[in-house]
Amino acid sequence: MGAHKRTSRYGRYAGGPDPLAPPVDLGEALDAIAEDVMAGYTPRHALQEFLRRGGRNRSGLDDLAGRVQQRRNELLSRHRLDGTLNEVRKLLDTAVLEERKQLARDAGMDDTDRAFREMQLQNLPPSTAAAVNELASYDWQSSSAREAYDRIKDLLGREILDQRFAGMKQALENAGDADRAAVAEMLRDLNELLDKHRRGEDTDGDFQEFMARHGDFFPENPQSVEELIDALAQRAAAAQRLLQSMSPEQREELMRLSAQAFGSPELMAQLDQLDSSLRALRPGEDWAGSERFDGQEGLGLGDGTGVLQDIAELDALSEQLSQSYSGSNLDDLDLDALARQLGQDAAVSARTLADIERAMQDGGYLRRGADGDLRLSPQAMRRLGKALLRDTAKQLSGRQGGRDTRVAGAAGEQTGSSREWEFGDAEPWDVTRTLANAIRRTAADGGDPARGLRLGPGDIEVTETEARTQAAVVLLADVSFSMAAEGRWVPMKRTALALHHLVSTRFRGDRLQLITFGRYAQTMDIGELTALPALREQGTNLHHGLLLAGRFFRRHPSMQPVLLVVTDGEPTAHLLPDGESWFSWPPDPETIRLTVAELDRLGRAGTQATFFRLGDDPGLERFVQRMARRIDGRVVAPDPGDLGAAVVGEYLRAHLREPYDDDWSSWR
């Protein structure tokens, strides 16, 4: 038996999403959403904004909506609705011209009869419809003229049917009497089916029987009577909007011409009955709308109805893309319609956005709170904190005068355990385990460890250590409105997230408290701080913040108290004995006295303090310098973008009780 040679042919994949497409990049979405949340958006709003903007090399909802509107405008500006009238006028002119030629050639015709006919043709009404109707009983002498006139009736019939049944104009071209009889029979059966459905007397068998007899007229291949009605009603409503989009003169002409369709008044009666049934069955369709066409390309009734259907589909897509209605989500998008109107690339972009929206919730990055609104989940906070800490580590390691930053208790005793190396780690390597990993990997890959090893990042393990000193750390963050107004709001939140992630993952023995202070101070968890919107509230109540910090330190008496204060203004508020906040600008001497007294109390308890001064206000600079001297603390003046590295660096310095050799002047 001879060898059978197999051949393969490949074409465009059309079975759904591209199986070779890269996976959805949730990292980009999460980063963008988190940035917006830190800037004051709710997570739901931040997700919506990302979906509207899109991502790298991916269209967003706004871009898709703009393309939808552009497509709609193109349809209106390209077309006008007099295509059928113009075709009828041309056929009428042809018929009249051919008849006149025949009258001039026919020498045997009675002169009186010829004169009467010429006068009749000469005095035809200017209205196309009126002229066509007047010639309905004319005895044509020219066969070519009679043929042109009969084509008018055929054209009108096909156009009117094409309004209700897409493709009918082409299907019935050159149709004979039997074809027209089949259409008439289909209309009678359809009206009977819809009438029974309106009365609730139809069965599935009635629908199946109808489709078995007339299914060729319905390329949409409806699977139920409801799907059949949907398709017919959408088309019929578009046909009605087409008529209402015409000028009154055009509309009147077509209504008068319709009597000549196929020369069959019964056809119009059947179509009128069909329209009446569809209106009753689908009253929610747009039966009353209209559009303004101002282009140069004439449209026939069928093509015009198709364009109106396209416009209706574009309007539905525009609403879906707006996501402005209650309960909206991207699963509502009609991807097939989007592909029809804008192309497959638009559908792919929309599907990807829907996948991102779904994955952000199903993947655990967003979750619903008790109030029903979306929030960043702890998983999202950990991922974001890890990314921010990585950025901070890069800043620390890349600064002039810096040294390696040891984290995860790097200055303490080894525990005897190890873990896989992660980017940013500076712990000592566990050489034995690292080499063992490299040997196993080399052997598994088919290599010979005896001939040499090449270490890979996945081979490296670092030793775990325990910290020598546990710390109770308070990050006091100024949340007065000037922080947001001067572009310091997001850097402050990024700093808190990075520090929180460092403490919760590498210094688990430490305790961190986040305290915000504006008109009042309050403790917050990291999720609350991340989602905190900017408040237009006057007041920098450092006094209240220090009171809360002291309370936290007293709950952890065995730990080293570390105070990190981030502020861009002098204290302008203090807490009264009754719990109310007293605000004054310029700062009230009593506010300064109470703030200094509370700081002194923390200093006597051995608190290590660092003040991070944001901005160049001379009054603030004098104040923080004096405060730092009173408590033997430090002042750092970073740019907002370097705030995270500054705070983390100071935390490490204070925690490890070592001089942190760094050129802070380069941060100013």
Side-chain angles (χ1 to χ4, degrees), residues 28 55-59 349:
E28 179 190 9
R56 291 186 296 269
N57 304 318
R58 182 185 302 114
S59 296
S349 291

PDB file of all heavy atoms in Angstrom, residues 28 55-59 349:
ATOM      1  N   GLU A  28      -1.226  45.192  35.152  1.00  0.00           N
ATOM      2  CA  GLU A  28      -1.385  46.556  34.648  1.00  0.00           C
ATOM      3  C   GLU A  28      -2.685  47.160  35.154  1.00  0.00           C
ATOM      4  O   GLU A  28      -2.728  48.315  35.585  1.00  0.00           O
ATOM      5  CB  GLU A  28      -1.367  46.545  33.119  1.00  0.00           C
ATOM      6  CG  GLU A  28      -1.548  47.929  32.511  1.00  0.00           C
ATOM      7  CD  GLU A  28      -1.779  47.894  31.011  1.00  0.00           C
ATOM      8  OE1 GLU A  28      -1.963  46.792  30.456  1.00  0.00           O
ATOM      9  OE2 GLU A  28      -1.776  48.980  30.403  1.00  0.00           O
ATOM     10  N   GLY A  55      -5.630  49.857  28.148  1.00  0.00           N
ATOM     11  CA  GLY A  55      -4.261  49.647  28.600  1.00  0.00           C
ATOM     12  C   GLY A  55      -3.274  49.753  27.458  1.00  0.00           C
ATOM     13  O   GLY A  55      -3.581  50.311  26.397  1.00  0.00           O
ATOM     14  N   ARG A  56      -2.109  49.217  27.686  1.00  0.00           N
ATOM     15  CA  ARG A  56      -1.079  49.260  26.645  1.00  0.00           C
ATOM     16  C   ARG A  56      -1.552  48.467  25.434  1.00  0.00           C
ATOM     17  O   ARG A  56      -1.920  47.299  25.544  1.00  0.00           O
ATOM     18  CB  ARG A  56       0.234  48.674  27.176  1.00  0.00           C
ATOM     19  CG  ARG A  56       0.910  49.514  28.240  1.00  0.00           C
ATOM     20  CD  ARG A  56       2.270  48.929  28.589  1.00  0.00           C
ATOM     21  NE  ARG A  56       2.150  47.605  29.186  1.00  0.00           N
ATOM     22  CZ  ARG A  56       2.051  47.389  30.489  1.00  0.00           C
ATOM     23  NH1 ARG A  56       2.036  48.416  31.335  1.00  0.00           N
ATOM     24  NH2 ARG A  56       1.959  46.160  30.964  1.00  0.00           N
ATOM     25  N   ASN A  57      -1.539  49.127  24.283  1.00  0.00           N
ATOM     26  CA  ASN A  57      -1.917  48.477  23.014  1.00  0.00           C
ATOM     27  C   ASN A  57      -3.317  47.868  23.064  1.00  0.00           C
ATOM     28  O   ASN A  57      -3.593  46.861  22.413  1.00  0.00           O
ATOM     29  CB  ASN A  57      -0.903  47.379  22.652  1.00  0.00           C
ATOM     30  CG  ASN A  57       0.514  47.899  22.579  1.00  0.00           C
ATOM     31  OD1 ASN A  57       0.754  48.982  22.042  1.00  0.00           O
ATOM     32  ND2 ASN A  57       1.452  47.144  23.128  1.00  0.00           N
ATOM     33  N   ARG A  58      -4.202  48.473  23.860  1.00  0.00           N
ATOM     34  CA  ARG A  58      -5.561  47.951  23.956  1.00  0.00           C
ATOM     35  C   ARG A  58      -6.537  49.107  24.045  1.00  0.00           C
ATOM     36  O   ARG A  58      -6.374  50.002  24.867  1.00  0.00           O
ATOM     37  CB  ARG A  58      -5.716  47.064  25.189  1.00  0.00           C
ATOM     38  CG  ARG A  58      -7.094  46.436  25.335  1.00  0.00           C
ATOM     39  CD  ARG A  58      -7.242  45.675  26.634  1.00  0.00           C
ATOM     40  NE  ARG A  58      -6.243  44.629  26.744  1.00  0.00           N
ATOM     41  CZ  ARG A  58      -5.278  44.629  27.660  1.00  0.00           C
ATOM     42  NH1 ARG A  58      -5.189  45.632  28.510  1.00  0.00           N
ATOM     43  NH2 ARG A  58      -4.401  43.658  27.705  1.00  0.00           N
ATOM     44  N   SER A  59      -7.537  49.093  23.168  1.00  0.00           N
ATOM     45  CA  SER A  59      -8.543  50.151  23.192  1.00  0.00           C
ATOM     46  C   SER A  59      -9.384  50.046  24.453  1.00  0.00           C
ATOM     47  O   SER A  59      -9.689  48.955  24.930  1.00  0.00           O
ATOM     48  CB  SER A  59      -9.458  50.037  21.966  1.00  0.00           C
ATOM     49  OG  SER A  59      -8.741  50.238  20.773  1.00  0.00           O
ATOM     50  N   SER A 349     -10.867  43.609  21.627  1.00  0.00           N
ATOM     51  CA  SER A 349     -10.562  44.569  22.698  1.00  0.00           C
ATOM     52  C   SER A 349     -11.650  44.562  23.761  1.00  0.00           C
ATOM     53  O   SER A 349     -11.364  44.559  24.968  1.00  0.00           O
ATOM     54  CB  SER A 349     -10.413  45.979  22.119  1.00  0.00           C
ATOM     55  OG  SER A 349      -9.257  46.091  21.320  1.00  0.00           O
TER      56      SER A 349
END
